[in-house]
Amino acid sequence: MKKIISIIICLCMFLPIKINAEEIQLAQNAGSAILIEFETGEIIFEKNAHEKLHPASMTKIMSMLIIMEHIDKGLISWDDIVTVSANASGMGGSQILLETNEKMAVRDLFKGIAVASGNDAVVAMAEYIAGTEDAFVTMMNDKVKELGLTDTNFKNVHGLDDANHYSSAYDMAYMARELIKHKSVLEYTSIYEDYLRKGTDKEFWLVNTNKLVRFYEGADGLKTGYTSEAGYCLTATATRNNMRLIAVAMNEPDSKTRNAEISSMLDYGFAQYSTEKVLSTDSILDKVLVDKGKKEYVEIVPTENITFLNKKTENSKNATYEIKLNELKAPLKKGDVIGTLIVKLDDNDQREVNITVKEDVEKCNIFELFLRYLCDVLGGNIKL
């Protein structure tokens, strides 16, 4: 049996309006483009967003995501030392000039991927994690499916042209959104210049291929790409006034046009929209009974922030919160999904997130349950 609690609150909400390319002069030279807001994942602007194109080195967004997942799960660490194979050191395209059998820490290889788009670095990491590049590519394609993306098929980890290696602006935007949930990524993608092997005779100067991290206010990532088949590509992210946007442009004619059109997309998003956080992961939704818990009652909270994207010129809306809870039985741990929070606007726009307990709740032992029963009897809560 599920417990349902409803709360109606008037909030200053505004409905986002998805804009098509024909309606405003954005990304006119791009073969495909999209602009989304990070927290909500809502589309602000799109142009041929699902067209399958070569992504070039934007492929490394997914490569970095797999690496970050392995780091965050403790399967590898930033300090691990990777021995570079002949296959990795022999990669063409952009490189950090790795040598066969050279040893380099994961953090430096990742920096070489995020900043300089090193094909040799990303292959070295793929082989370190999965044994072979092909096995790592399988991980990438499995992750694409897990994210529910349907426009993408990867054939390599770096993005050099292959007839069956393709993605879309839509898919790249949502891969990027997933990647930057790992916040430490931005510590690397925001670097404009740095060095590898500093102080040695093989010192290598890194300069970010994404010039927006230096020249666009609030930009801190994410990944450029170029091949003759793909044209000039960029997935960029920037934050202003507590709102993060992600913009993607594919098949641009040159890097100057690419950067200008990405900047215009971001400018439009920041000028026309804002976000409002209505509930956070610390917001207490209710205090509920836990069967056989050492604590009889526990506070419940959302597992993620509830944010709405506001079109600055739209009218306010009412929001309704509906809490659907499972029957709670100890033991429970913070993070356990114990129900669903449904947030509805009065025009049927809706968002759902999971609910969890604010703190761990241990299970009572038999003696504790007996004492609780005795107290209830003595207190008149239970009649014999």
Side-chain angles (χ1 to χ4, degrees):
M1 182 67 68
K2 290 191 174 182
K3 178 182 179 183
I4 300 178
I5 305 167
S6 293
I7 308 168
I8 299 177
I9 301 177
C10 183
L11 296 168
C12 189
M13 292 296 161
F14 305 92
L15 289 181
I17 299 175
K18 182 168 64 177
I19 303 296
N20 294 320
E22 296 78 12
E23 298 178 55
I24 51 174
Q25 298 298 309
L26 291 177
Q28 293 299 296
N29 295 283
S32 176
I34 195 169
L35 176 67
I36 70 170
E37 193 277 320
F38 168 71
E39 285 280 356
T40 63
E42 293 193 47
I43 297 171
I44 296 174
F45 163 84
E46 63 178 334
K47 173 188 177 183
N48 304 330
H50 288 280
E51 185 172 347
K52 295 175 181 178
L53 298 168
H54 293 286
S57 280
M58 292 195 306
T59 298
K60 297 183 179 84
I61 290 172
M62 179 55 80
S63 300
M64 290 191 287
L65 174 56
I66 301 298
I67 295 168
M68 286 306 309
E69 289 185 337
H70 278 70
I71 290 171
D72 288 350
K73 290 175 182 176
L75 299 173
I76 64 172
S77 80
W78 290 112
D79 296 322
D80 286 357
I81 301 299
V82 177
T83 301
V84 178
S85 71
N87 179 51
S89 66
M91 287 305 304
S94 54
Q95 304 172 41
I96 59 170
L97 303 181
L98 292 172
E99 296 181 355
T100 303
N101 294 323
E102 180 177 358
K103 299 181 186 302
M104 185 172 284
V106 166
R107 71 176 67 257
D108 288 332
L109 287 170
F110 193 85
K111 189 184 296 182
I113 299 166
V115 179
S117 196
N119 293 338
D120 47 0
V122 75
V123 171
M125 283 302 309
E127 292 175 341
Y128 180 66
I129 287 172
T132 66
E133 181 181 356
D134 286 344
F136 192 88
V137 170
T138 297
M139 291 181 181
M140 293 166 67
N141 285 318
D142 286 346
K143 188 66 180 180
V144 168
K145 293 174 184 175
E146 180 187 323
L147 295 174
L149 305 175
T150 59
D151 303 332
T152 299
N153 184 64
F154 291 124
K155 297 295 287 184
N156 58 58
V157 302
H158 40 68
L160 293 177
D161 288 331
D162 183 294
N164 291 314
H165 185 93
Y166 54 81
S167 189
S168 67
Y170 180 95
D171 282 13
M172 295 309 308
Y174 288 96
M175 289 180 215
R177 182 176 183 241
E178 195 67 22
L179 174 60
I180 59 182
K181 289 178 182 178
H182 303 268
K183 295 181 181 179
S184 56
V185 166
L186 298 172
E187 297 174 12
Y188 291 86
T189 59
S190 60
I191 295 170
Y192 183 69
E193 59 181 338
D194 204 344
Y195 290 89
L196 294 176
R197 313 180 191 91
K198 192 169 178 62
T200 73
D201 58 358
K202 296 178 181 178
E203 185 173 275
F204 186 83
W205 183 38
L206 298 173
V207 180
N208 204 318
T209 57
N210 178 13
K211 305 308 177 188
L212 296 190
V213 299
R214 183 172 184 179
F215 298 109
Y216 188 86
E217 180 188 351
D220 51 7
L222 196 59
K223 192 70 202 71
T224 61
Y226 169 76
T227 66
S228 58
E229 291 291 327
Y232 290 83
C233 307
L234 174 58
T235 297
T237 184
T239 182
R240 292 182 188 173
N241 299 320
N242 298 314
M243 181 173 73
R244 177 175 292 281
L245 300 178
I246 299 169
V248 183
M250 301 180 73
N251 196 25
E252 292 275 17
D254 54 68
S255 61
K256 183 177 179 181
T257 302
R258 174 193 67 187
N259 293 348
E261 295 201 332
I262 284 281
S263 297
S264 294
M265 290 166 64
L266 293 170
D267 285 345
Y268 173 81
F270 288 124
Q272 295 292 322
Y273 289 83
S274 63
T275 54
E276 183 174 358
K277 185 184 293 183
V278 296
L279 290 171
S280 73
T281 54
D282 294 323
S283 299
I284 298 168
L285 302 173
D286 198 5
K287 194 171 185 178
V288 296
L289 181 67
V290 180
D291 185 30
K292 296 183 177 62
K294 282 194 174 183
K295 291 186 176 181
E296 287 191 80
Y297 290 87
V298 66
E299 294 173 338
I300 58 173
V301 295
T303 58
E304 57 187 270
N305 297 331
I306 306 292
T307 302
F308 279 91
L309 182 63
N310 304 337
K311 187 75 164 62
K312 293 180 180 179
T313 58
E314 295 295 320
N315 297 323
S316 62
K317 302 290 180 181
N318 292 324
T320 302
Y321 298 81
E322 185 177 303
I323 298 171
K324 294 185 177 180
L325 287 181
N326 303 323
E327 187 176 352
L328 303 190
K329 292 184 178 181
L332 292 169
K333 289 191 175 182
K334 185 175 182 180
D336 289 346
V337 175
I338 52 104
T340 305
L341 174 67
I342 303 172
V343 184
K344 299 178 182 178
L345 294 184
D346 57 15
D347 64 348
N348 298 319
D349 187 28
Q350 180 172 306
R351 182 133 346 117
E352 295 186 15
V353 299
N354 291 327
I355 298 170
T356 189
V357 290
K358 190 177 181 181
E359 57 186 332
D360 296 349
V361 181
E362 295 180 8
K363 185 177 181 179
C364 286
N365 56 41
I366 294 175
F367 179 69
E368 289 169 324
L369 286 173
F370 175 74
L371 284 179
R372 181 174 295 171
Y373 172 78
L374 186 59
C375 289
D376 286 338
V377 170
L378 295 174
N381 297 322
I382 297 178
K383 293 183 180 180
L384 299 175

